[in-house]
Amino acid sequence: MSEMKKIKNLKEFSTSADRFEGANLLCPGCAHSIIVREVLNATNDDLVLAASTGCLEVCTAVYPYTSWDASWIHIGFENGSTAVAGAEAMYKALKNKGRLKQPDRNPKFVAFGGDGASYDIGFQWISGCMERGHNMMYVVLDNEVYANTGGQRSSSTPIGASATTTPAGRVSYGETKNKKDMMSIMAAHHIPYAAQVAPNKWKDMVKKIQHGMEVDGPVFINAVSPCTTEWKFDPKDTMHITDLATDSLVFPLYEIIDGHELNITYRPKNVVPVEEYLAAQGRFKHLFKDEYKYLIKEWQERVDANWAYLNRREEARV
Amino acid sequence: MAFDKMELRDIEVWDGNFAAAQALRQCQIDVVSAYPITPSTPIVEGYAKFLADNYIEGEFVMVESEHAAMSGCIGASAAGGRVATATSSQGFALMVETLYQASGMRLPIVLNVVNRALAAPLNVNGDHSDMYLGRDSGWIQLDAYSPQEAYDLNFIAFRVAEDHDVRLPCMVHQDGFMTSHTAQGVKTMDDDTAYSFVGDFKPMNDMLDFEHPVTHGVQTEEDWHFEHKARQHNDLMTKVMPKIQTAFDDFEKLTGRKYNIVEKYDMEDADIAVVCMGTSVETAREVAKEMRGKGVKAGVVGLRVIRPFPFFEVQEALKDVKAIAALDRSSPNGAPGMLFNELAGALYNTDTKALLSGYVYGLGGRDLTKKHLTDLYSELQANVDAGKVLTPLQQFIGVRGPKLQFL
C-alpha cells in the first residue's frame, strides 16, 4: 500500500501534479477537465488510464498530440472500463511472473466515461467489470447528455431538459423519463465503494478518490459535470452551476460502502430551491412557461423525496 | 508459485480445439480474456483447466461478452504481454468493432476463430461466414485444415504477430466441428521446445512502463487518418508474408513439418484446379488423386494465408492451369464469392487463360462429398475441352430444391 497523498490547500492541490495538461480542446468552462485534474491530483501513484469515446477522449488525444502524462488508452465508446480491466489483469499476470519493468511501482487503474458511455452503451461492460472485481476505478463525467455528438438525450438526462432528440416544442417539455439511478445499480454489485462527487466540493472529492484508490476492488464514482454548451450557461459560471446542483440537492453527495452502508458526505447549510438550479440553465428555460410550471413543483418534490430516502438509508445503518 | 510442465507423448489424440488450447498453454499466455461460444468454447475451457491444474501462470478473465473479450485483450496487450482468445460466428460478429481497433492500434493479439455460420437462421455448424466477415479488419489470417495444423499455426501466429516489424494481430482459423471436434493424432513438441519457438514476449510502448507513459488509441481526422491506415495496409502487404515464410522455415527446421503460404497438391502439371480452404482441401486432394487415376490432370490449391491475400503465390500456383474452380464456403449475398472475386483480381492482369468458375458449398455445416467434387472436376474438364465456361459462373453445390446458379 502506498502512502496517501497529503493535501493542504486548494492552490497546492491544483498545481501538485501535471498529468493532465491544460493544453486540450475541451470547451472553456467544461467541468470535465476540472474533475479529471482533481482525480489525478488526489494521488501520487502511477496511473494507467482509459477513456471511452466522448468529449474527454476526442479533446485530449488528437494525434500527434496528447494531453496525458500517464499511460492512457481509448478503444471505443463502450469499453473504456474493460480496457482498464484488461490492463489490470496484465499487471497482475506480470507481477506474479516477476516480469514488471518497475516492480516497486503500485499503479492505480482508472477509466473515465461520460454518462452516455456509462449509463447507456457501456453499461454492460461496467457491470461486468464491477462483478468481476477488478482493482480499478470507474469515473463517470456525468453531464447528463451526449455532449460529444451535439446534445442528444441519454438515460442520465433529467426530466424537463431539452435535448436535441427530446427537444422542448409546442407540445413537448423535453425529456420525459427519470434519470437512471446508477449509484444504486452499481452499489447493487456489492462493490467496496461507490460515491457521488462534485468538482466544487474538492475536499470531499479528494477524500473519496483517495479512499477509492486505497480499497481493493472495483470503485464507481459518479461526478456531476456541468456542460456549458448543452446546459446553456456562461463558461465563467461552471462552479456556480455546480454549487447550485449540490446545494439544491439535485446532485447529492454521498457514498455507499460495500453495497449497503450509505453516508451523506455533504449537507448544505442553506438548501437552495430547485427552481434556482433550473433557472440558471438554458436547457430548462421552457419549464418557466405557465403550462409547465407544475413540472418545477414536481422536480422539487422528487428531489425532496430522494433526499429523505438517502437520509433514511443513512440512519438505518444497514 | 511456478507452474508445472506437462509431459506429452510424441503423438497425442487431440481435436482441433484441444490442440489450440495446448498451443496457448505452451506459449505461456499472460492474459486470456474470453467469452464462450460453440464450437470454440473448449479452447478456453481447456485453458481454464490447465490454469486450475497449475500448468499455466497467468490471468484468465471471463468477461460478459465477446466484445468485452476483445476489449480486455486490447487493454491487456497494450499493457504489454502475450494475449490470446477464441471465438466463433455470432461472437466473432460482436467482436468486429474491436477487431479493427486491435489492428489499428498494432497490438499482437492472437485470436483462434473456429469457423461457423452466421445467423439468421441460427446455426452452430461450420462454414466460413465469420472468416470472411473479418477479412477487411486488418488482421493476419491463417487457416488450419486439421488439429495438427491448429496446433502448429498458433505458434506461427505469435511469432509473426509479435515481431516488432509487424505488430499486427493474427487469427488462426479452423473449421467448426469438422476440425474443432474431430480427434486425430497430433505430433507434439515438448513444453521447452514449443516455448523456444515463440520466445519471450518483448513489449513495445507498453502502458506498464511508468518511465515512458504512452497514449494508445488516439483521435485522427482527415489530416492523419489516411496515413495511419495506409501504413497499416502497407505493412500488411509488404512485411507480413516474408515473416510468415521465415516462421514456416524455422518451424520446419524445428519440427520437420512444412507449411506453405499456398499449399499446392499435384499442381506441377495440372490442367484443372480447385482452390479452397479448411477441411475441404483434404477432401479435394483425395478426389484429385482419384481423378489422376482416370487420366484427368487435377490439382488442388489450398490457401494457408487468407490475409494478406497471397497474390503472387496464387498467380504462380495457377499460372499453367486451364480451368479453375473457386470454392466459397460463405453465402456471397449479392455478388460472386469472395474467393472467386479475389482469384479473379489476382489473375486478371496475368498471362493466364484459365477459365474461372465459382462454387458455393457447405453452408451451415452441409457436407461436401467426394461425389460433389468428382462432378465439379468433370465440369472443369468439360470447360477445358470446350475452351469456354459451359456452366454459369456461380453455382451452389448440394442445395435442395431447384438448382441455384447465376451469372
Side-chain angles (χ1 to χ4, degrees):
Chain A
M1 199 71 78
S2 54
E3 198 169 315
M4 206 178 281
K5 182 172 175 177
K6 295 199 173 47
I7 293 157
K8 285 179 192 152
N9 56 54
L10 181 57
K11 190 179 176 192
E12 184 200 287
F13 172 54
S14 62
T15 56
S16 65
D18 247 339
R19 292 188 283 202
F20 182 66
E21 301 292 338
N24 60 59
L25 302 174
L26 290 161
C27 298
C30 177
H32 279 17
S33 59
I34 305 167
I35 296 164
V36 170
R37 283 179 77 86
E38 289 182 29
V39 171
L40 303 194
N41 284 7
T43 177
N44 285 329
D45 287 326
D46 293 306
L47 293 169
V48 176
L49 306 167
S52 296
T53 310
C55 292
L56 181 69
E57 175 263 324
V58 301
C59 294
T60 62
V62 183
Y63 185 85
Y65 305 107
T66 181
S67 306
W68 302 91
D69 193 12
S71 283
W72 180 94
I73 185 169
H74 156 254
I75 307 179
F77 194 7
E78 63 285 70
N79 48 7
S81 54
T82 316
V84 148
E88 184 253 5
M90 182 57 75
Y91 172 76
K92 280 195 330 210
L94 297 186
K95 187 176 186 183
N96 290 338
K97 292 181 177 192
R99 276 177 34 216
L100 287 172
K101 276 183 187 159
Q102 298 110 20
D104 52 329
R105 302 293 182 91
N106 182 31
K108 308 293 183 189
F109 295 84
V110 183
F112 293 98
D115 50 288
S118 313
Y119 284 58
D120 296 335
I121 190 171
F123 186 68
Q124 167 192 308
W125 287 254
I126 299 172
S127 175
C129 288
M130 297 290 134
E131 171 267 322
R132 292 191 301 273
H134 294 282
N135 197 8
M136 61 178 276
M137 175 181 286
Y138 190 87
V139 181
V140 184
L141 303 165
D142 188 0
N143 56 21
E144 302 184 334
V145 72
Y146 288 95
N148 185 43
T149 45
Q152 299 78 29
R153 63 87 65 180
S154 79
S155 61
S156 173
T157 305
I159 288 182
S162 182
T164 59
T165 47
T166 53
R170 282 164 54 206
V171 294
S172 168
Y173 56 80
E175 174 60 57
T176 57
K177 315 285 191 309
N178 258 325
K179 178 176 168 129
K180 189 188 273 184
D181 182 0
M182 274 293 271
M183 280 290 286
S184 293
I185 296 167
M186 287 299 128
H189 289 75
H190 299 285
I191 53 176
Y193 194 62
Q196 291 216 132
V197 298
N200 57 330
K201 302 297 171 194
W202 66 272
K203 281 183 185 166
D204 178 74
M205 163 113 79
V206 166
K207 219 169 138 186
K208 286 170 175 168
I209 297 298
Q210 289 191 337
H211 179 78
M213 295 229 176
E214 291 306 313
V215 300
D216 188 22
V219 169
F220 178 78
I221 302 286
N222 202 42
V224 64
S225 185
C227 173
T228 170
T229 310
E230 301 304 335
W231 294 19
K232 299 184 179 22
F233 59 83
D234 196 305
K236 72 176 168 38
D237 291 336
T238 305
M239 282 300 120
H240 172 58
I241 298 287
T242 318
D243 284 341
L244 290 175
T246 52
D247 292 359
S248 65
L249 302 172
V250 167
F251 201 89
L253 301 184
Y254 62 100
E255 61 188 11
I256 302 176
I257 294 166
D258 295 334
H260 62 92
E261 185 190 329
L262 190 147
N263 301 312
I264 294 171
T265 58
Y266 172 64
R267 291 174 183 279
K269 282 195 189 95
N270 301 305
V271 176
V272 172
V274 171
E275 189 174 346
E276 272 189 44
Y277 171 73
L278 300 175
Q281 305 168 50
R283 61 175 174 157
F284 296 118
K285 197 171 150 192
H286 53 285
L287 297 186
F288 291 85
K289 290 179 190 164
D290 285 345
E291 68 262 40
Y292 291 140
K293 278 200 170 153
Y294 73 96
L295 284 166
I296 298 175
K297 190 164 159 275
E298 283 181 15
W299 251 101
Q300 186 67 58
E301 287 166 4
R302 208 165 33 247
V303 168
D304 290 346
N306 186 49
W307 183 243
Y309 165 75
L310 293 175
N311 276 281
R312 283 201 306 279
R313 280 279 309 270
E314 186 185 54
E315 283 160 25
R317 309 308 299 159
V318 288
Chain B
M1 188 169 64
F3 62 97
D4 299 324
K5 298 267 169 63
M6 187 180 271
E7 292 291 325
L8 299 175
R9 285 165 293 199
D10 291 344
I11 297 179
E12 294 274 355
V13 181
W14 290 342
D15 62 24
N17 275 333
F18 198 67
Q22 284 282 4
L24 297 189
R25 179 187 65 79
Q26 291 186 319
C27 291
Q28 297 179 28
I29 313 301
D30 296 309
V31 172
V32 169
S33 163
Y35 190 79
I37 183 169
T38 300
S40 71
T41 313
I43 294 179
V44 290
E45 284 176 341
Y47 189 82
K49 188 69 168 79
F50 293 144
L51 199 62
D53 290 339
N54 198 43
Y55 289 117
I56 291 173
E57 206 178 14
E59 290 296 310
F60 181 54
V61 189
M62 203 62 211
V63 292
E64 82 292 339
S65 73
E66 288 90 347
H67 192 290
M70 187 48 64
S71 304
C73 286
I74 290 170
S77 185
R82 186 163 288 154
V83 174
T85 189
T87 197
S88 296
S89 183
Q90 306 305 121
F92 184 91
L94 186 57
M95 256 184 205
V96 163
E97 186 201 18
T98 51
L99 296 178
Y100 281 78
Q101 289 157 336
S103 64
M105 290 158 76
R106 308 294 296 258
L107 298 170
I109 300 159
V110 170
L111 171 63
N112 276 274
V113 186
V114 181
N115 295 131
R116 171 187 147 185
L118 287 172
L122 186 63
N123 178 303
V124 298
N125 291 302
D127 70 28
H128 293 162
S129 302
D130 48 11
M131 178 202 285
Y132 285 15
L133 180 62
R135 69 187 191 268
D136 293 342
S137 62
W139 286 56
I140 301 162
Q141 288 179 284
L142 308 177
D143 191 25
Y145 315 153
S146 68
Q148 179 72 63
E149 296 170 1
Y151 177 69
D152 293 348
L153 290 186
N154 265 283
F155 299 102
I156 306 286
F158 284 106
R159 175 79 170 256
V160 174
E162 291 175 3
D163 188 301
H164 280 194
D165 289 339
V166 175
R167 291 184 295 120
L168 284 166
C170 184
M171 294 177 204
V172 178
H173 294 278
Q174 56 173 296
D175 277 2
F177 291 106
M178 281 159 281
T179 305
S180 66
H181 285 64
T182 303
Q184 294 181 352
V186 174
K187 290 178 188 161
T188 66
M189 294 179 276
D190 66 63
D191 286 3
D192 289 337
T193 305
Y195 186 78
S196 73
F197 182 76
V198 293
D200 292 338
F201 183 87
K202 294 179 190 66
M204 184 171 177
N205 298 329
D206 52 314
M207 293 204 294
L208 297 177
D209 181 352
F210 302 106
E211 298 298 329
H212 303 95
V214 282
T215 295
H216 281 275
V218 294
Q219 167 94 353
T220 67
E221 294 303 334
E222 69 281 4
D223 52 350
W224 279 109
H225 187 84
F226 201 170
E227 278 73 17
H228 284 291
K229 286 292 181 186
R231 177 56 58 91
Q232 182 184 334
H233 183 64
N234 173 73
D235 289 357
L236 257 172
M237 294 294 279
T238 63
K239 291 186 178 172
V240 173
M241 283 303 187
K243 296 289 182 183
I244 292 176
Q245 190 57 58
T246 306
F248 281 166
D249 293 345
D250 291 349
F251 195 78
E252 187 189 0
K253 275 180 217 144
L254 186 71
T255 66
R257 295 194 287 279
K258 182 170 175 56
Y259 290 97
N260 298 292
I261 288 165
V262 161
E263 301 287 1
K264 294 182 285 187
Y265 180 84
D266 269 359
M267 287 302 295
E268 294 77 17
D269 62 341
D271 284 338
I272 57 176
V274 162
V275 184
C276 55
M277 293 182 280
T279 42
S280 44
V281 175
E282 277 189 17
T283 316
R285 286 171 181 167
E286 282 292 310
V287 176
K289 196 194 295 176
E290 289 175 15
M291 297 304 287
R292 288 266 169 181
K294 295 178 197 165
V296 178
K297 290 183 175 177
V300 182
V301 171
L303 296 194
R304 182 67 73 195
V305 183
I306 301 153
R307 282 291 182 272
F309 190 79
F311 296 94
F312 302 121
E313 293 82 356
V314 161
Q315 285 169 357
E316 195 280 325
L318 296 170
K319 65 183 185 327
D320 296 326
V321 296
K322 295 169 182 160
I324 304 163
L327 262 63
D328 275 293
R329 193 165 199 166
S330 167
S331 180
N333 282 339
M338 182 197 89
L339 191 49
F340 175 93
N341 274 336
E342 302 208 335
L343 286 177
L347 299 175
Y348 189 82
N349 276 340
T350 64
D351 293 333
T352 182
K353 297 287 183 291
L355 303 162
L356 179 62
S357 45
Y359 293 82
V360 175
Y361 76 100
L363 302 189
R366 179 66 51 84
D367 283 340
L368 178 72
T369 66
K370 287 170 72 175
K371 171 76 166 54
H372 290 141
L373 286 161
T374 307
D375 292 350
L376 192 154
Y377 273 119
S378 299
E379 284 188 8
L380 291 184
Q381 188 59 52
N383 289 347
V384 173
D385 295 342
K388 62 177 181 179
V389 178
L390 300 169
T391 52
L393 277 182
Q394 185 179 29
Q395 300 184 70
F396 280 58
I397 299 176
V399 64
R400 269 197 297 273
K403 192 164 187 179
L404 296 181
Q405 50 186 30
F406 311 100
L407 301 173

